[in-house]
mmCIF file of all heavy atoms in Angstrom:
data_model
loop_
_atom_site.group_PDB
_atom_site.id
_atom_site.type_symbol
_atom_site.label_atom_id
_atom_site.label_comp_id
_atom_site.label_asym_id
_atom_site.label_seq_id
_atom_site.Cartn_x
_atom_site.Cartn_y
_atom_site.Cartn_z
ATOM 1 N N TYR A 1 -2.031 3.428 -10.903
ATOM 2 C CA TYR A 1 -0.773 4.139 -10.708
ATOM 3 C C TYR A 1 0.381 3.193 -10.411
ATOM 4 O O TYR A 1 1.182 3.408 -9.504
ATOM 5 C CB TYR A 1 -0.896 5.184 -9.595
ATOM 6 C CG TYR A 1 -2.104 6.058 -9.705
ATOM 7 C CD1 TYR A 1 -2.877 6.337 -8.591
ATOM 8 C CD2 TYR A 1 -2.487 6.596 -10.928
ATOM 9 C CE1 TYR A 1 -4.009 7.137 -8.691
ATOM 10 C CE2 TYR A 1 -3.614 7.400 -11.040
ATOM 11 C CZ TYR A 1 -4.370 7.665 -9.920
ATOM 12 O OH TYR A 1 -5.485 8.457 -10.024
ATOM 13 N N GLY A 2 0.503 2.094 -11.150
ATOM 14 C CA GLY A 2 1.627 1.185 -10.996
ATOM 15 C C GLY A 2 1.446 0.118 -9.948
ATOM 16 O O GLY A 2 2.354 -0.693 -9.724
ATOM 17 N N VAL A 3 0.302 0.037 -9.281
ATOM 18 C CA VAL A 3 0.074 -0.969 -8.254
ATOM 19 C C VAL A 3 -0.122 -2.339 -8.911
ATOM 20 O O VAL A 3 -0.937 -2.507 -9.808
ATOM 21 C CB VAL A 3 -1.153 -0.621 -7.395
ATOM 22 C CG1 VAL A 3 -1.452 -1.751 -6.410
ATOM 23 C CG2 VAL A 3 -0.918 0.681 -6.653
ATOM 24 N N GLN A 4 0.648 -3.322 -8.443
ATOM 25 C CA GLN A 4 0.545 -4.685 -8.968
ATOM 26 C C GLN A 4 -0.132 -5.633 -7.984
ATOM 27 O O GLN A 4 -0.726 -6.633 -8.389
ATOM 28 C CB GLN A 4 1.944 -5.193 -9.315
ATOM 29 C CG GLN A 4 2.630 -4.360 -10.390
ATOM 30 C CD GLN A 4 4.075 -4.762 -10.589
ATOM 31 O OE1 GLN A 4 4.521 -5.814 -10.134
ATOM 32 N NE2 GLN A 4 4.834 -3.914 -11.271
ATOM 33 N N GLU A 5 -0.003 -5.353 -6.683
ATOM 34 C CA GLU A 5 -0.647 -6.173 -5.653
ATOM 35 C C GLU A 5 -1.411 -5.259 -4.703
ATOM 36 O O GLU A 5 -0.921 -4.191 -4.331
ATOM 37 C CB GLU A 5 0.376 -6.964 -4.849
ATOM 38 C CG GLU A 5 1.008 -8.118 -5.563
ATOM 39 C CD GLU A 5 1.859 -8.942 -4.601
ATOM 40 O OE1 GLU A 5 1.334 -9.367 -3.541
ATOM 41 O OE2 GLU A 5 3.040 -9.142 -4.904
ATOM 42 N N TYR A 6 -2.594 -5.696 -4.312
ATOM 43 C CA TYR A 6 -3.423 -4.930 -3.378
ATOM 44 C C TYR A 6 -3.970 -5.879 -2.333
ATOM 45 O O TYR A 6 -4.558 -6.915 -2.666
ATOM 46 C CB TYR A 6 -4.569 -4.246 -4.128
ATOM 47 C CG TYR A 6 -5.591 -3.580 -3.243
ATOM 48 C CD1 TYR A 6 -5.385 -2.305 -2.733
ATOM 49 C CD2 TYR A 6 -6.777 -4.242 -2.912
ATOM 50 C CE1 TYR A 6 -6.335 -1.695 -1.918
ATOM 51 C CE2 TYR A 6 -7.734 -3.644 -2.100
ATOM 52 C CZ TYR A 6 -7.504 -2.371 -1.608
ATOM 53 O OH TYR A 6 -8.437 -1.772 -0.799
ATOM 54 N N HIS A 7 -3.777 -5.536 -1.059
ATOM 55 C CA HIS A 7 -4.255 -6.369 0.042
ATOM 56 C C HIS A 7 -5.064 -5.493 0.993
ATOM 57 O O HIS A 7 -4.697 -4.348 1.262
ATOM 58 C CB HIS A 7 -3.081 -6.997 0.796
ATOM 59 C CG HIS A 7 -2.197 -7.838 -0.064
ATOM 60 N ND1 HIS A 7 -2.381 -9.198 -0.240
ATOM 61 C CD2 HIS A 7 -1.112 -7.513 -0.825
ATOM 62 C CE1 HIS A 7 -1.453 -9.666 -1.055
ATOM 63 N NE2 HIS A 7 -0.671 -8.664 -1.428
ATOM 64 N N ARG A 8 -6.152 -6.057 1.521
ATOM 65 C CA ARG A 8 -6.999 -5.329 2.466
ATOM 66 C C ARG A 8 -7.234 -6.203 3.699
ATOM 67 O O ARG A 8 -8.256 -6.891 3.804
ATOM 68 C CB ARG A 8 -8.320 -4.925 1.822
ATOM 69 C CG ARG A 8 -9.202 -4.011 2.687
ATOM 70 C CD ARG A 8 -10.515 -3.713 1.998
ATOM 71 N NE ARG A 8 -11.466 -3.055 2.861
ATOM 72 C CZ ARG A 8 -11.656 -1.731 2.915
ATOM 73 N NH1 ARG A 8 -10.945 -0.939 2.122
ATOM 74 N NH2 ARG A 8 -12.543 -1.223 3.741
ATOM 75 N N PRO A 9 -6.313 -6.185 4.646
ATOM 76 C CA PRO A 9 -6.478 -7.000 5.860
ATOM 77 C C PRO A 9 -7.617 -6.454 6.728
ATOM 78 O O PRO A 9 -7.961 -5.275 6.657
ATOM 79 C CB PRO A 9 -5.131 -6.855 6.563
ATOM 80 C CG PRO A 9 -4.602 -5.539 6.091
ATOM 81 C CD PRO A 9 -5.056 -5.413 4.669
ATOM 82 N N GLU A 10 -8.148 -7.329 7.581
ATOM 83 C CA GLU A 10 -9.254 -6.951 8.464
ATOM 84 C C GLU A 10 -8.840 -6.881 9.928
ATOM 85 O O GLU A 10 -9.657 -6.537 10.784
ATOM 86 C CB GLU A 10 -10.417 -7.930 8.284
ATOM 87 C CG GLU A 10 -11.009 -7.885 6.883
ATOM 88 C CD GLU A 10 -12.188 -8.821 6.723
ATOM 89 O OE1 GLU A 10 -12.485 -9.580 7.683
ATOM 90 O OE2 GLU A 10 -12.821 -8.801 5.655
ATOM 91 N N THR A 11 -7.589 -7.207 10.223
ATOM 92 C CA THR A 11 -7.082 -7.106 11.589
ATOM 93 C C THR A 11 -5.691 -6.485 11.551
ATOM 94 O O THR A 11 -4.976 -6.555 10.537
ATOM 95 C CB THR A 11 -6.988 -8.474 12.275
ATOM 96 O OG1 THR A 11 -5.998 -9.266 11.608
ATOM 97 C CG2 THR A 11 -8.331 -9.199 12.244
ATOM 98 N N LEU A 12 -5.300 -5.900 12.688
ATOM 99 C CA LEU A 12 -3.952 -5.340 12.797
ATOM 100 C C LEU A 12 -2.903 -6.433 12.673
ATOM 101 O O LEU A 12 -1.865 -6.242 12.014
ATOM 102 C CB LEU A 12 -3.816 -4.603 14.123
ATOM 103 C CG LEU A 12 -2.441 -4.000 14.427
ATOM 104 C CD1 LEU A 12 -2.030 -3.000 13.359
ATOM 105 C CD2 LEU A 12 -2.444 -3.357 15.813
ATOM 106 N N ALA A 13 -3.156 -7.584 13.282
ATOM 107 C CA ALA A 13 -2.195 -8.694 13.208
ATOM 108 C C ALA A 13 -1.931 -9.090 11.760
ATOM 109 O O ALA A 13 -0.779 -9.334 11.358
ATOM 110 C CB ALA A 13 -2.712 -9.886 14.010
ATOM 111 N N ALA A 14 -2.979 -9.165 10.956
ATOM 112 C CA ALA A 14 -2.810 -9.532 9.553
ATOM 113 C C ALA A 14 -2.064 -8.444 8.788
ATOM 114 O O ALA A 14 -1.237 -8.739 7.915
ATOM 115 C CB ALA A 14 -4.174 -9.793 8.917
ATOM 116 N N ALA A 15 -2.329 -7.195 9.119
ATOM 117 C CA ALA A 15 -1.684 -6.089 8.412
ATOM 118 C C ALA A 15 -0.173 -6.089 8.633
ATOM 119 O O ALA A 15 0.606 -5.943 7.682
ATOM 120 C CB ALA A 15 -2.288 -4.762 8.865
ATOM 121 N N VAL A 16 0.267 -6.266 9.874
ATOM 122 C CA VAL A 16 1.710 -6.204 10.134
ATOM 123 C C VAL A 16 2.426 -7.420 9.560
ATOM 124 O O VAL A 16 3.593 -7.324 9.155
ATOM 125 C CB VAL A 16 1.996 -6.032 11.644
ATOM 126 C CG1 VAL A 16 1.483 -4.684 12.134
ATOM 127 C CG2 VAL A 16 1.409 -7.167 12.476
ATOM 128 N N VAL A 17 1.751 -8.574 9.495
ATOM 129 C CA VAL A 17 2.362 -9.746 8.864
ATOM 130 C C VAL A 17 2.544 -9.510 7.373
ATOM 131 O O VAL A 17 3.586 -9.858 6.788
ATOM 132 C CB VAL A 17 1.514 -11.005 9.132
ATOM 133 C CG1 VAL A 17 1.962 -12.153 8.231
ATOM 134 C CG2 VAL A 17 1.620 -11.405 10.595
ATOM 135 N N LEU A 18 1.555 -8.919 6.720
ATOM 136 C CA LEU A 18 1.686 -8.602 5.299
ATOM 137 C C LEU A 18 2.857 -7.657 5.050
ATOM 138 O O LEU A 18 3.645 -7.857 4.109
ATOM 139 C CB LEU A 18 0.389 -7.973 4.776
ATOM 140 C CG LEU A 18 -0.773 -8.924 4.507
ATOM 141 C CD1 LEU A 18 -2.060 -8.133 4.288
ATOM 142 C CD2 LEU A 18 -0.481 -9.802 3.288
ATOM 143 N N LEU A 19 2.981 -6.635 5.891
ATOM 144 C CA LEU A 19 4.082 -5.680 5.709
ATOM 145 C C LEU A 19 5.427 -6.332 5.961
ATOM 146 O O LEU A 19 6.431 -5.939 5.364
ATOM 147 C CB LEU A 19 3.877 -4.478 6.629
ATOM 148 C CG LEU A 19 2.728 -3.557 6.230
ATOM 149 C CD1 LEU A 19 2.446 -2.539 7.324
ATOM 150 C CD2 LEU A 19 3.042 -2.827 4.926
ATOM 151 N N ARG A 20 5.460 -7.318 6.833
ATOM 152 C CA ARG A 20 6.713 -8.053 7.073
ATOM 153 C C ARG A 20 7.062 -8.957 5.897
ATOM 154 O O ARG A 20 8.236 -9.051 5.485
ATOM 155 C CB ARG A 20 6.580 -8.905 8.344
ATOM 156 C CG ARG A 20 7.832 -9.709 8.698
ATOM 157 C CD ARG A 20 7.515 -10.767 9.729
ATOM 158 N NE ARG A 20 6.576 -11.773 9.197
ATOM 159 C CZ ARG A 20 5.973 -12.696 9.948
ATOM 160 N NH1 ARG A 20 6.180 -12.727 11.252
ATOM 161 N NH2 ARG A 20 5.154 -13.577 9.384
ATOM 162 N N ASP A 21 6.066 -9.598 5.330
ATOM 163 C CA ASP A 21 6.313 -10.642 4.334
ATOM 164 C C ASP A 21 6.358 -10.138 2.900
ATOM 165 O O ASP A 21 6.749 -10.901 2.000
ATOM 166 C CB ASP A 21 5.239 -11.729 4.448
ATOM 167 C CG ASP A 21 5.305 -12.481 5.767
ATOM 168 O OD1 ASP A 21 6.355 -12.375 6.450
ATOM 169 O OD2 ASP A 21 4.319 -13.149 6.118
ATOM 170 N N LEU A 22 5.942 -8.888 2.666
ATOM 171 C CA LEU A 22 5.921 -8.354 1.300
ATOM 172 C C LEU A 22 6.941 -7.213 1.198
ATOM 173 O O LEU A 22 6.642 -6.074 1.552
ATOM 174 C CB LEU A 22 4.517 -7.854 0.948
ATOM 175 C CG LEU A 22 3.404 -8.905 0.957
ATOM 176 C CD1 LEU A 22 2.036 -8.234 0.794
ATOM 177 C CD2 LEU A 22 3.632 -9.931 -0.150
ATOM 178 N N PRO A 23 8.145 -7.501 0.732
ATOM 179 C CA PRO A 23 9.176 -6.454 0.645
ATOM 180 C C PRO A 23 8.697 -5.279 -0.215
ATOM 181 O O PRO A 23 8.159 -5.466 -1.307
ATOM 182 C CB PRO A 23 10.358 -7.176 -0.015
ATOM 183 C CG PRO A 23 10.127 -8.627 0.278
ATOM 184 C CD PRO A 23 8.650 -8.802 0.292
ATOM 185 N N GLY A 24 8.889 -4.083 0.309
ATOM 186 C CA GLY A 24 8.509 -2.880 -0.435
ATOM 187 C C GLY A 24 7.054 -2.515 -0.352
ATOM 188 O O GLY A 24 6.620 -1.516 -0.947
ATOM 189 N N ALA A 25 6.253 -3.291 0.378
ATOM 190 C CA ALA A 25 4.834 -2.975 0.511
ATOM 191 C C ALA A 25 4.656 -1.666 1.270
ATOM 192 O O ALA A 25 5.402 -1.354 2.194
ATOM 193 C CB ALA A 25 4.105 -4.096 1.229
ATOM 194 N N ARG A 26 3.650 -0.897 0.868
ATOM 195 C CA ARG A 26 3.364 0.378 1.514
ATOM 196 C C ARG A 26 1.987 0.335 2.158
ATOM 197 O O ARG A 26 1.018 -0.094 1.525
ATOM 198 C CB ARG A 26 3.402 1.526 0.483
ATOM 199 C CG ARG A 26 4.752 1.751 -0.179
ATOM 200 C CD ARG A 26 5.726 2.452 0.746
ATOM 201 N NE ARG A 26 5.228 3.753 1.175
ATOM 202 C CZ ARG A 26 5.364 4.875 0.461
ATOM 203 N NH1 ARG A 26 5.959 4.853 -0.721
ATOM 204 N NH2 ARG A 26 4.906 6.022 0.943
ATOM 205 N N PRO A 27 1.870 0.786 3.400
ATOM 206 C CA PRO A 27 0.539 0.890 4.001
ATOM 207 C C PRO A 27 -0.249 2.025 3.361
ATOM 208 O O PRO A 27 0.294 3.097 3.090
ATOM 209 C CB PRO A 27 0.835 1.171 5.478
ATOM 210 C CG PRO A 27 2.204 1.766 5.499
ATOM 211 C CD PRO A 27 2.937 1.181 4.326
ATOM 212 N N LEU A 28 -1.522 1.800 3.127
ATOM 213 C CA LEU A 28 -2.402 2.789 2.519
ATOM 214 C C LEU A 28 -3.444 3.217 3.544
ATOM 215 O O LEU A 28 -4.197 2.388 4.051
ATOM 216 C CB LEU A 28 -3.089 2.193 1.286
ATOM 217 C CG LEU A 28 -4.165 3.060 0.618
ATOM 218 C CD1 LEU A 28 -3.551 4.307 -0.007
ATOM 219 C CD2 LEU A 28 -4.916 2.255 -0.444
ATOM 220 N N ALA A 29 -3.461 4.510 3.848
ATOM 221 C CA ALA A 29 -4.482 5.058 4.748
ATOM 222 C C ALA A 29 -5.563 5.686 3.879
ATOM 223 O O ALA A 29 -6.284 4.999 3.169
ATOM 224 C CB ALA A 29 -3.850 6.051 5.713
ATOM 225 N N GLY A 30 -5.676 7.021 3.884
ATOM 226 C CA GLY A 30 -6.658 7.662 3.019
ATOM 227 C C GLY A 30 -6.233 7.712 1.561
ATOM 228 O O GLY A 30 -7.056 7.789 0.653
ATOM 229 N N GLY A 31 -4.912 7.690 1.329
ATOM 230 C CA GLY A 31 -4.388 7.725 -0.030
ATOM 231 C C GLY A 31 -4.274 9.105 -0.630
ATOM 232 O O GLY A 31 -3.839 9.251 -1.781
ATOM 233 N N THR A 32 -4.632 10.154 0.134
ATOM 234 C CA THR A 32 -4.652 11.501 -0.447
ATOM 235 C C THR A 32 -3.251 12.036 -0.713
ATOM 236 O O THR A 32 -3.094 12.953 -1.520
ATOM 237 C CB THR A 32 -5.404 12.481 0.471
ATOM 238 O OG1 THR A 32 -4.794 12.493 1.768
ATOM 239 C CG2 THR A 32 -6.854 12.063 0.609
ATOM 240 N N ASP A 33 -2.240 11.485 -0.063
ATOM 241 C CA ASP A 33 -0.849 11.843 -0.364
ATOM 242 C C ASP A 33 -0.156 10.743 -1.156
ATOM 243 O O ASP A 33 0.509 11.012 -2.151
ATOM 244 C CB ASP A 33 -0.065 12.097 0.935
ATOM 245 C CG ASP A 33 -0.477 13.375 1.629
ATOM 246 O OD1 ASP A 33 -0.592 14.406 0.942
ATOM 247 O OD2 ASP A 33 -0.686 13.347 2.847
ATOM 248 N N LEU A 34 -0.325 9.500 -0.717
ATOM 249 C CA LEU A 34 0.403 8.389 -1.327
ATOM 250 C C LEU A 34 0.073 8.205 -2.796
ATOM 251 O O LEU A 34 0.963 8.048 -3.641
ATOM 252 C CB LEU A 34 0.105 7.105 -0.552
ATOM 253 C CG LEU A 34 0.791 5.833 -1.052
ATOM 254 C CD1 LEU A 34 2.295 5.955 -0.929
ATOM 255 C CD2 LEU A 34 0.282 4.625 -0.262
ATOM 256 N N LEU A 35 -1.199 8.236 -3.144
ATOM 257 C CA LEU A 35 -1.577 7.999 -4.538
ATOM 258 C C LEU A 35 -1.211 9.181 -5.432
ATOM 259 O O LEU A 35 -0.865 8.999 -6.602
ATOM 260 C CB LEU A 35 -3.067 7.696 -4.635
ATOM 261 C CG LEU A 35 -3.514 6.407 -3.931
ATOM 262 C CD1 LEU A 35 -4.998 6.168 -4.137
ATOM 263 C CD2 LEU A 35 -2.706 5.211 -4.416
ATOM 264 N N VAL A 36 -1.249 10.388 -4.878
ATOM 265 C CA VAL A 36 -0.792 11.547 -5.657
ATOM 266 C C VAL A 36 0.700 11.435 -5.944
ATOM 267 O O VAL A 36 1.156 11.689 -7.061
ATOM 268 C CB VAL A 36 -1.115 12.860 -4.908
ATOM 269 C CG1 VAL A 36 -0.440 14.045 -5.593
ATOM 270 C CG2 VAL A 36 -2.617 13.080 -4.852
ATOM 271 N N ALA A 37 1.476 11.043 -4.927
ATOM 272 C CA ALA A 37 2.909 10.875 -5.129
ATOM 273 C C ALA A 37 3.194 9.787 -6.143
ATOM 274 O O ALA A 37 4.106 9.907 -6.980
ATOM 275 C CB ALA A 37 3.584 10.551 -3.799
ATOM 276 N N SER A 38 2.408 8.719 -6.122
ATOM 277 C CA SER A 38 2.587 7.631 -7.073
ATOM 278 C C SER A 38 2.321 8.080 -8.502
ATOM 279 O O SER A 38 3.042 7.727 -9.431
ATOM 280 C CB SER A 38 1.661 6.473 -6.700
ATOM 281 O OG SER A 38 1.746 5.429 -7.642
ATOM 282 N N ARG A 39 1.296 8.912 -8.665
ATOM 283 C CA ARG A 39 0.893 9.325 -10.008
ATOM 284 C C ARG A 39 1.732 10.473 -10.551
ATOM 285 O O ARG A 39 2.120 10.476 -11.721
ATOM 286 C CB ARG A 39 -0.576 9.737 -9.997
ATOM 287 C CG ARG A 39 -1.124 10.147 -11.358
ATOM 288 C CD ARG A 39 -2.564 10.586 -11.244
ATOM 289 N NE ARG A 39 -2.690 11.742 -10.368
ATOM 290 C CZ ARG A 39 -3.861 12.249 -9.978
ATOM 291 N NH1 ARG A 39 -4.994 11.669 -10.344
ATOM 292 N NH2 ARG A 39 -3.909 13.305 -9.206
ATOM 293 N N GLU A 40 2.047 11.442 -9.685
ATOM 294 C CA GLU A 40 2.619 12.695 -10.175
ATOM 295 C C GLU A 40 4.089 12.911 -9.830
ATOM 296 O O GLU A 40 4.738 13.740 -10.445
ATOM 297 C CB GLU A 40 1.809 13.878 -9.623
ATOM 298 C CG GLU A 40 0.357 13.884 -10.082
ATOM 299 C CD GLU A 40 -0.417 15.066 -9.527
ATOM 300 O OE1 GLU A 40 0.177 15.853 -8.764
ATOM 301 O OE2 GLU A 40 -1.603 15.210 -9.884
ATOM 302 N N LYS A 41 4.606 12.192 -8.851
ATOM 303 C CA LYS A 41 5.962 12.470 -8.390
ATOM 304 C C LYS A 41 6.943 11.333 -8.638
ATOM 305 O O LYS A 41 8.029 11.302 -8.082
ATOM 306 C CB LYS A 41 5.929 12.808 -6.891
ATOM 307 C CG LYS A 41 5.086 14.038 -6.572
ATOM 308 C CD LYS A 41 5.094 14.342 -5.088
ATOM 309 C CE LYS A 41 4.222 15.558 -4.779
ATOM 310 N NZ LYS A 41 4.207 15.871 -3.323
ATOM 311 N N GLY A 42 6.536 10.374 -9.450
ATOM 312 C CA GLY A 42 7.451 9.294 -9.796
ATOM 313 C C GLY A 42 7.771 8.369 -8.646
ATOM 314 O O GLY A 42 8.893 7.881 -8.543
ATOM 315 N N SER A 43 6.793 8.136 -7.750
ATOM 316 C CA SER A 43 7.009 7.250 -6.608
ATOM 317 C C SER A 43 6.019 6.097 -6.666
ATOM 318 O O SER A 43 5.108 6.003 -5.845
ATOM 319 C CB SER A 43 6.850 8.024 -5.288
ATOM 320 O OG SER A 43 7.735 9.115 -5.228
ATOM 321 N N PRO A 44 6.162 5.198 -7.644
ATOM 322 C CA PRO A 44 5.176 4.124 -7.795
ATOM 323 C C PRO A 44 5.200 3.162 -6.611
ATOM 324 O O PRO A 44 6.241 2.911 -5.999
ATOM 325 C CB PRO A 44 5.625 3.428 -9.083
ATOM 326 C CG PRO A 44 7.077 3.743 -9.197
ATOM 327 C CD PRO A 44 7.251 5.111 -8.627
#
């Protein structure tokens, strides 16, 4: 669904650094809303 980069940190510290350093990065939890919006609502 338009994803070009995928990161899977193993600590909270690593996760927040990634979100700081990657402009426009989105946190992914279960994906039951985010991936639907990416595919069907024009929010890649």
Side-chain angles (χ1 to χ4, degrees):
Y1 312 135
V3 175
Q4 298 172 14
E5 287 188 54
Y6 172 83
H7 302 269
R8 187 183 170 96
E10 296 182 355
T11 66
L12 178 59
V16 295
V17 167
L18 283 168
L19 289 170
R20 180 194 64 191
D21 294 344
L22 298 172
R26 297 284 301 276
L28 174 67
T32 57
D33 289 314
L34 180 63
L35 296 182
V36 171
S38 177
R39 182 182 61 187
E40 298 180 358
K41 299 181 181 180
S43 303

